[in-house]
Amino acid sequence: MFRRIVLHLSAIQDQNQLYAEPLIFERSWKIADSGISAEGLFQAIEKDFAVDHDPEKNIYTLSKQLPGPILITNYDPNILCCEERAELDDLINPWVENDIAFDIRPGYPGGEWPIQGASRLGSFHSILNFLSHALGEEAEYYVEKDSRTPPLAGNENPAQTMGMIVADKQPDNIDMFAYSHGKYYTVDTTGEETHWNRNVLQLLYVLFRLTITDTKSLGIPITISK
């Protein structure tokens, strides 16, 4: 199911209709103004809250914008009202910084399969661990996209996240390989998925750099086009 959801998001991105932005929602609190100095109240909270006073009801309303997780949508997230943002936040709570939420709605590209949920990004170590297990212990297999998913650009849906060759002797015509525990390991650049495998290796390199280097020093933006 995870693979099918990712393929669905990828198909929407192929149409340049995928949005990825932080989910910002607004919370508000009401406080009776009896015994509260307006001047003292503003000085205490003006940096963090917006304050609105209703003299007829003798109530102060405090509001504050709070950041949520990155939200992936098939529509412009700016159309969301405060109530809808709050509902999405309630849907995925509790969440941590490396959670990615998604909200694919009917009436927009890819809306034939409306889905809501969240995915948690793993560590670089967990990615390498997954790839190593896929070499034999938990071999990957082909997953067909959902019937409601639009066509994929280039039909890119390989069975393996990154194709690898494991051999007892050094592979011929291979410039880069690793030798460990009596085996030679190299990225598979011999078949139809050569371009895909090279791109995955390049992405792994970028992720590795991000784990050990300040992102500002890389000089590259990490964005998803809309």
mmCIF file of all heavy atoms in Angstrom, residues 65-84:
data_model
loop_
_atom_site.group_PDB
_atom_site.id
_atom_site.type_symbol
_atom_site.label_atom_id
_atom_site.label_comp_id
_atom_site.label_asym_id
_atom_site.label_seq_id
_atom_site.Cartn_x
_atom_site.Cartn_y
_atom_site.Cartn_z
ATOM 1 N N GLN A 65 -0.494 31.463 15.235
ATOM 2 C CA GLN A 65 -0.231 30.510 14.155
ATOM 3 C C GLN A 65 0.803 29.498 14.623
ATOM 4 O O GLN A 65 1.858 29.872 15.132
ATOM 5 C CB GLN A 65 0.267 31.228 12.906
ATOM 6 C CG GLN A 65 -0.819 32.006 12.176
ATOM 7 C CD GLN A 65 -0.368 32.498 10.818
ATOM 8 O OE1 GLN A 65 0.820 32.684 10.567
ATOM 9 N NE2 GLN A 65 -1.326 32.700 9.920
ATOM 10 N N LEU A 66 0.479 28.224 14.448
ATOM 11 C CA LEU A 66 1.367 27.149 14.883
ATOM 12 C C LEU A 66 1.778 26.306 13.677
ATOM 13 O O LEU A 66 0.954 25.985 12.830
ATOM 14 C CB LEU A 66 0.663 26.264 15.917
ATOM 15 C CG LEU A 66 0.208 26.964 17.204
ATOM 16 C CD1 LEU A 66 -0.587 25.999 18.067
ATOM 17 C CD2 LEU A 66 1.415 27.500 17.969
ATOM 18 N N PRO A 67 3.064 25.954 13.589
ATOM 19 C CA PRO A 67 3.516 25.134 12.458
ATOM 20 C C PRO A 67 3.166 23.674 12.649
ATOM 21 O O PRO A 67 3.236 23.139 13.765
ATOM 22 C CB PRO A 67 5.036 25.343 12.471
ATOM 23 C CG PRO A 67 5.354 25.602 13.920
ATOM 24 C CD PRO A 67 4.167 26.354 14.474
ATOM 25 N N GLY A 68 2.768 23.038 11.557
ATOM 26 C CA GLY A 68 2.508 21.612 11.568
ATOM 27 C C GLY A 68 3.508 20.899 10.673
ATOM 28 O O GLY A 68 4.532 21.469 10.289
ATOM 29 N N PRO A 69 3.239 19.665 10.312
ATOM 30 C CA PRO A 69 4.144 18.919 9.435
ATOM 31 C C PRO A 69 4.065 19.414 7.996
ATOM 32 O O PRO A 69 3.186 20.191 7.638
ATOM 33 C CB PRO A 69 3.625 17.478 9.549
ATOM 34 C CG PRO A 69 2.159 17.672 9.817
ATOM 35 C CD PRO A 69 2.051 18.881 10.688
ATOM 36 N N ILE A 70 4.998 18.965 7.164
ATOM 37 C CA ILE A 70 4.897 19.217 5.731
ATOM 38 C C ILE A 70 3.649 18.512 5.212
ATOM 39 O O ILE A 70 3.395 17.350 5.525
ATOM 40 C CB ILE A 70 6.143 18.697 4.996
ATOM 41 C CG1 ILE A 70 7.388 19.457 5.459
ATOM 42 C CG2 ILE A 70 5.979 18.827 3.487
ATOM 43 C CD1 ILE A 70 7.376 20.936 5.120
ATOM 44 N N LEU A 71 2.862 19.233 4.437
ATOM 45 C CA LEU A 71 1.614 18.687 3.896
ATOM 46 C C LEU A 71 1.723 18.586 2.382
ATOM 47 O O LEU A 71 2.026 19.568 1.706
ATOM 48 C CB LEU A 71 0.439 19.587 4.282
ATOM 49 C CG LEU A 71 -0.922 19.200 3.697
ATOM 50 C CD1 LEU A 71 -1.390 17.862 4.271
ATOM 51 C CD2 LEU A 71 -1.958 20.296 3.977
ATOM 52 N N ILE A 72 1.492 17.393 1.840
ATOM 53 C CA ILE A 72 1.493 17.162 0.395
ATOM 54 C C ILE A 72 0.044 17.097 -0.071
ATOM 55 O O ILE A 72 -0.763 16.327 0.478
ATOM 56 C CB ILE A 72 2.232 15.856 0.050
ATOM 57 C CG1 ILE A 72 3.712 15.957 0.451
ATOM 58 C CG2 ILE A 72 2.114 15.533 -1.435
ATOM 59 C CD1 ILE A 72 4.499 14.681 0.209
ATOM 60 N N THR A 73 -0.288 17.912 -1.071
ATOM 61 C CA THR A 73 -1.665 17.975 -1.555
ATOM 62 C C THR A 73 -1.698 17.999 -3.077
ATOM 63 O O THR A 73 -0.691 18.254 -3.735
ATOM 64 C CB THR A 73 -2.370 19.248 -1.038
ATOM 65 O OG1 THR A 73 -1.691 20.405 -1.577
ATOM 66 C CG2 THR A 73 -2.336 19.319 0.466
ATOM 67 N N ASN A 74 -2.885 17.762 -3.627
ATOM 68 C CA ASN A 74 -3.109 17.911 -5.071
ATOM 69 C C ASN A 74 -3.885 19.191 -5.366
ATOM 70 O O ASN A 74 -4.474 19.334 -6.441
ATOM 71 C CB ASN A 74 -3.853 16.699 -5.629
ATOM 72 C CG ASN A 74 -5.227 16.507 -4.997
ATOM 73 O OD1 ASN A 74 -5.488 16.981 -3.889
ATOM 74 N ND2 ASN A 74 -6.102 15.799 -5.703
ATOM 75 N N TYR A 75 -3.890 20.115 -4.421
ATOM 76 C CA TYR A 75 -4.562 21.402 -4.561
ATOM 77 C C TYR A 75 -3.716 22.457 -3.843
ATOM 78 O O TYR A 75 -2.826 22.127 -3.046
ATOM 79 C CB TYR A 75 -5.969 21.351 -3.943
ATOM 80 C CG TYR A 75 -5.958 20.953 -2.476
ATOM 81 C CD1 TYR A 75 -5.785 21.906 -1.466
ATOM 82 C CD2 TYR A 75 -6.075 19.615 -2.103
ATOM 83 C CE1 TYR A 75 -5.740 21.530 -0.132
ATOM 84 C CE2 TYR A 75 -6.033 19.241 -0.771
ATOM 85 C CZ TYR A 75 -5.859 20.196 0.213
ATOM 86 O OH TYR A 75 -5.805 19.835 1.525
ATOM 87 N N ASP A 76 -4.000 23.712 -4.122
ATOM 88 C CA ASP A 76 -3.280 24.799 -3.466
ATOM 89 C C ASP A 76 -3.686 24.830 -1.988
ATOM 90 O O ASP A 76 -4.856 25.101 -1.665
ATOM 91 C CB ASP A 76 -3.622 26.128 -4.133
ATOM 92 C CG ASP A 76 -2.792 27.290 -3.589
ATOM 93 O OD1 ASP A 76 -2.166 27.130 -2.527
ATOM 94 O OD2 ASP A 76 -2.774 28.347 -4.243
ATOM 95 N N PRO A 77 -2.776 24.567 -1.054
ATOM 96 C CA PRO A 77 -3.157 24.514 0.367
ATOM 97 C C PRO A 77 -3.625 25.855 0.917
ATOM 98 O O PRO A 77 -4.202 25.908 2.007
ATOM 99 C CB PRO A 77 -1.865 24.050 1.060
ATOM 100 C CG PRO A 77 -0.770 24.376 0.109
ATOM 101 C CD PRO A 77 -1.358 24.253 -1.260
ATOM 102 N N ASN A 78 -3.404 26.936 0.182
ATOM 103 C CA ASN A 78 -3.857 28.249 0.650
ATOM 104 C C ASN A 78 -5.377 28.366 0.661
ATOM 105 O O ASN A 78 -5.923 29.291 1.270
ATOM 106 C CB ASN A 78 -3.269 29.358 -0.223
ATOM 107 C CG ASN A 78 -1.773 29.510 -0.014
ATOM 108 O OD1 ASN A 78 -1.267 29.387 1.105
ATOM 109 N ND2 ASN A 78 -1.048 29.767 -1.097
ATOM 110 N N ILE A 79 -6.070 27.426 -0.005
ATOM 111 C CA ILE A 79 -7.533 27.481 -0.016
ATOM 112 C C ILE A 79 -8.132 26.906 1.261
ATOM 113 O O ILE A 79 -9.331 27.049 1.500
ATOM 114 C CB ILE A 79 -8.114 26.725 -1.235
ATOM 115 C CG1 ILE A 79 -7.881 25.198 -1.081
ATOM 116 C CG2 ILE A 79 -7.537 27.234 -2.538
ATOM 117 C CD1 ILE A 79 -8.560 24.378 -2.152
ATOM 118 N N LEU A 80 -7.311 26.282 2.095
ATOM 119 C CA LEU A 80 -7.822 25.656 3.311
ATOM 120 C C LEU A 80 -8.248 26.718 4.320
ATOM 121 O O LEU A 80 -7.513 27.676 4.590
ATOM 122 C CB LEU A 80 -6.755 24.761 3.943
ATOM 123 C CG LEU A 80 -6.371 23.481 3.192
ATOM 124 C CD1 LEU A 80 -5.226 22.784 3.896
ATOM 125 C CD2 LEU A 80 -7.572 22.549 3.077
ATOM 126 N N CYS A 81 -9.419 26.543 4.896
ATOM 127 C CA CYS A 81 -9.853 27.430 5.967
ATOM 128 C C CYS A 81 -9.264 26.946 7.287
ATOM 129 O O CYS A 81 -8.684 25.855 7.361
ATOM 130 C CB CYS A 81 -11.379 27.470 6.053
ATOM 131 S SG CYS A 81 -12.128 25.882 6.495
ATOM 132 N N CYS A 82 -9.409 27.757 8.334
ATOM 133 C CA CYS A 82 -8.821 27.404 9.628
ATOM 134 C C CYS A 82 -9.367 26.080 10.159
ATOM 135 O O CYS A 82 -8.624 25.268 10.726
ATOM 136 C CB CYS A 82 -9.085 28.519 10.639
ATOM 137 S SG CYS A 82 -8.262 30.077 10.256
ATOM 138 N N GLU A 83 -10.682 25.860 9.965
ATOM 139 C CA GLU A 83 -11.292 24.624 10.467
ATOM 140 C C GLU A 83 -10.720 23.398 9.772
ATOM 141 O O GLU A 83 -10.460 22.362 10.401
ATOM 142 C CB GLU A 83 -12.809 24.675 10.275
ATOM 143 C CG GLU A 83 -13.535 25.684 11.157
ATOM 144 C CD GLU A 83 -13.408 27.115 10.647
ATOM 145 O OE1 GLU A 83 -12.918 27.282 9.501
ATOM 146 O OE2 GLU A 83 -13.778 28.038 11.379
ATOM 147 N N GLU A 84 -10.488 23.508 8.454
ATOM 148 C CA GLU A 84 -9.933 22.376 7.707
ATOM 149 C C GLU A 84 -8.498 22.105 8.135
ATOM 150 O O GLU A 84 -8.082 20.939 8.234
ATOM 151 C CB GLU A 84 -10.000 22.667 6.207
ATOM 152 C CG GLU A 84 -11.400 22.635 5.639
ATOM 153 C CD GLU A 84 -11.431 23.029 4.175
ATOM 154 O OE1 GLU A 84 -10.852 24.070 3.813
ATOM 155 O OE2 GLU A 84 -12.028 22.266 3.378
#
